[in-house]
Amino acid sequence: MSQHLLWKAGVIAGFLLLSPQLQADDLARRQAELKSLQSQIEKQQSALKDTSKQREKLQGLLKEDEQAIAKVAKAMALTQASLNEVDGKLEGLKSRSKALNAQKATQQETLSKQLASAYLAGNHDYTKMLLSQQNPATIERMLAYYQYLNNARIKAINELKQTMDELRQNHAQQLDEQEKLSQLAIEQQAQVKKLESEQAQRQATLKELQKTLSSRGAELEQLQIEEASLKRVLEQAVKAVKASPKLIGLGDQRGKLNWPTKGRLSEAFGNPRSGQIKWKGVLLSAPEGQSITAISDGKVIYADWLKGFGMVLVLDHGQGYMSLYGHAQALLKSPGDTVNSGETIALVGRSGGQTQPGLYFEIRHKGQAVDPANYCRR
C-alpha cells in the first residue's frame, strides 16, 4: 500500500479537524477528496490481500510441480541405474559366451583326436583282441588301457555336453536381458517426456509467482518467511533425532571434506542477499541432474520440499553438526537412512523457484550456520 496515500489522507483529515471555519463548498470538496483517498486505500489493501492469497496459491502449485518433477527425476535415476546394471550383465554374458565357444572348439578338437587315434590304432576291435590267445596278463593290461581311453572319451563327451548346455542357457539369458534393456529404454523415453511436461508446467507457475514478488519489499518479506520456516524445520528435526555414537561430527575434518558437487561458487557465505539478510550457506552453480554426495557419514533427518529452498535434504553428522542440501531436482534418500561419505543422496536441480540449476549448501553447528569453505577443500 502507498505510504503517500496514507500521509495525504492524514493531512486532509487533520486539516478538516483544525479548520471548522472553512466555507461550506470548500469543506465539501475536502470531504469528497478524503473519501476518494480512503476508497483508494481500501482498494490497495484489498489488492495486497488478493496478491498475498494468489502468492500462497502459486507457492502451493509450485510445490506440487516441483514434487512431480522430483518423482519423475528419481524414477529416471533408478531406471538409468537399472539400465547400467542390465547392460553390465549383458556384457558379462557376452564375454562368457565367447569363452564358452572357445572352450567348445577345444573340447571338440580333443574328442575328435581321441576318436581318430582309437580308430587308427584298432582299439575298437575288442573281439579280435580276446580271440588272439595272448597271455591273460597282457589281455588284462590291454583291457585296463582301453577302459582308461574309454573313460577319457566319456569325460570329454560329458564336458562338451555341459559346455553346450551352458551356451544354450547363456543365449537364453542374453535374450532375456536384451528384452529388459529394450523395456527400460522405452520406459526412460516416456519418463523424459513426462519430465519435460512437468518442467513446462513449473515454468508457467514460476512466471506467475514472480509477478507477485515484483517489488523489493515483497521479495524481502518472502525471504524472511523462508528463513523462519527453515529455522523451524531444523529445530524440529534436531529435537526428533536420536544421538548416534557412530557419528563423530565434522570438527576433526575442517578443511578436509569434499564439496557435495562440482560447480562454480556463485554466492559465498555471508554475502548480502536482500536488505539485512545475508547468505547463510553457499550457492554452487552446477548442471541439472548432476550427483550431490554426502560430505561425511551421516543420517538423514529431513527430506522434503520447503518453501524457498525446494527439495531439501538434511544430514545429521553428530556432535551438533548438520549439513543441508537445497534446490535439488530429486532426493534419493529418505528420513532415517544412514549414508556414507561420498554416497549420492540427491540430484542438482532448480527447485524452490530458482531459474538456474545449482545447489544451495549449508553447514550448521549447534543450530548456527558456519562457512562451508572452512570445512571443504579449497
Side-chain angles (χ1 to χ4, degrees):
M1 182 170 56
S2 171
Q3 296 295 321
H4 176 69
L5 287 177
L6 287 172
W7 173 80
K8 194 171 181 180
V11 168
I12 292 172
F15 186 75
L16 288 172
L17 290 170
L18 295 172
S19 307
Q21 304 301 320
L22 284 174
Q23 299 270 335
D25 56 343
D26 190 43
L27 180 60
R29 182 174 60 79
R30 296 284 186 177
Q31 287 176 332
E33 191 177 345
L34 177 61
K35 190 174 181 181
S36 174
L37 285 170
Q38 287 173 335
S39 176
Q40 289 180 51
I41 290 169
E42 286 174 3
K43 284 181 181 178
Q44 286 206 13
Q45 286 176 331
S46 178
L48 281 172
K49 191 174 181 180
D50 290 343
T51 301
S52 180
K53 285 182 179 179
Q54 184 187 13
R55 190 183 302 153
E56 284 301 313
K57 183 180 178 181
L58 289 168
Q59 284 281 5
L61 289 173
L62 184 67
K63 177 181 179 179
E64 290 176 10
D65 292 341
E66 292 183 344
Q67 285 179 328
I69 288 171
K71 185 178 180 180
V72 178
K74 183 177 181 179
M76 285 179 67
L78 293 173
T79 300
Q80 187 58 53
S82 297
L83 274 167
N84 294 340
E85 183 182 351
V86 171
D87 196 46
K89 282 183 180 178
L90 198 55
E91 286 301 312
L93 287 168
K94 287 178 180 178
S95 178
R96 179 59 181 160
S97 177
K98 187 177 179 181
L100 285 170
N101 275 310
Q103 182 176 302
K104 183 182 77 169
T106 301
Q107 289 171 340
Q108 285 175 327
E109 185 181 359
T110 301
L111 184 59
S112 177
K113 287 179 178 178
Q114 285 180 354
L115 292 171
S117 177
Y119 184 83
L120 291 172
N123 293 337
H124 60 287
D125 196 346
Y126 294 101
T127 306
K128 183 179 178 181
M129 178 195 71
L130 291 171
L131 297 175
S132 64
Q133 298 182 352
Q134 292 182 14
N135 187 299
T138 302
I139 293 174
E140 188 177 351
R141 284 197 301 273
M142 291 300 292
L143 284 172
Y145 173 66
Y146 292 151
Q147 187 62 43
Y148 169 78
L149 292 177
N150 191 47
N151 288 341
R153 283 193 293 272
I154 291 171
K155 182 182 178 184
I157 290 169
N158 287 335
E159 286 176 348
L160 179 59
K161 184 176 179 295
Q162 186 178 349
T163 300
M164 295 292 286
D165 287 343
E166 191 174 346
L167 265 171
R168 279 191 291 271
Q169 291 174 8
N170 182 284
H171 181 66
Q173 284 181 317
Q174 282 194 51
L175 291 175
D176 186 47
E177 296 301 325
Q178 283 282 11
E179 179 63 25
K180 286 182 185 177
L181 207 59
S182 298
Q183 289 298 322
L184 285 168
I186 292 169
E187 188 178 337
Q188 190 178 51
Q189 287 174 357
Q191 288 168 341
V192 168
K193 287 182 180 179
K194 185 169 177 59
L195 181 62
E196 289 172 350
S197 173
E198 297 292 357
Q199 286 175 331
Q201 177 61 49
R202 174 196 178 270
Q203 192 60 30
T205 303
L206 185 58
K207 189 176 179 180
E208 291 300 314
L209 180 60
Q210 286 171 337
K211 289 179 183 177
T212 70
L213 296 170
S214 56
S215 73
R216 187 173 179 83
E219 183 183 355
L220 179 60
E221 180 188 359
Q222 191 65 31
L223 286 174
Q224 289 171 335
I225 292 170
E226 290 165 4
E227 277 209 350
S229 178
L230 176 61
K231 184 179 179 182
R232 184 170 62 254
V233 163
L234 291 177
E235 286 174 350
Q236 290 172 348
V238 169
K239 287 178 182 177
V241 72
K242 294 181 179 179
S244 171
K246 294 180 181 179
L247 300 176
I248 59 173
L250 305 176
D252 293 337
Q253 302 181 71
R254 288 174 67 95
K256 301 175 184 177
L257 299 171
N258 289 322
W259 289 92
T261 198
K262 291 181 180 179
R264 178 179 59 84
L265 186 69
S266 55
E267 292 292 348
F269 177 83
N271 280 1
R273 192 172 181 186
S274 181
Q276 298 299 312
I277 295 179
K278 295 182 178 181
W279 286 91
K280 290 186 169 57
V282 298
L283 191 62
L284 296 168
S285 296
E288 194 162 20
Q290 182 171 284
S291 293
I292 298 170
T293 57
I295 58 169
S296 185
D297 295 349
K299 184 177 182 180
V300 181
I301 58 173
Y302 183 86
D304 205 345
W305 191 90
L306 186 62
K307 187 186 294 183
F309 298 91
M311 302 304 295
V312 174
L313 188 142
V314 181
L315 290 179
D316 172 39
H317 299 289
Q319 305 298 317
Y321 283 96
M322 293 187 298
S323 59
L324 179 147
Y325 312 80
H327 301 324
Q329 183 188 55
L331 307 177
L332 306 181
K333 299 295 179 181
S334 303
D337 289 349
T338 55
V339 299
N340 298 319
S341 177
E343 186 175 351
T344 299
I345 55 175
L347 303 175
V348 172
R350 59 182 81 196
S351 61
Q354 297 299 297
T355 56
Q356 298 297 322
L359 168 67
Y360 177 67
F361 173 54
E362 277 190 16
I363 293 179
R364 295 199 175 215
H365 184 223
K366 296 182 178 178
Q368 297 298 313
V370 294
D371 190 353
N374 292 335
Y375 290 82
C376 298
R377 293 188 179 97
R378 295 188 180 277

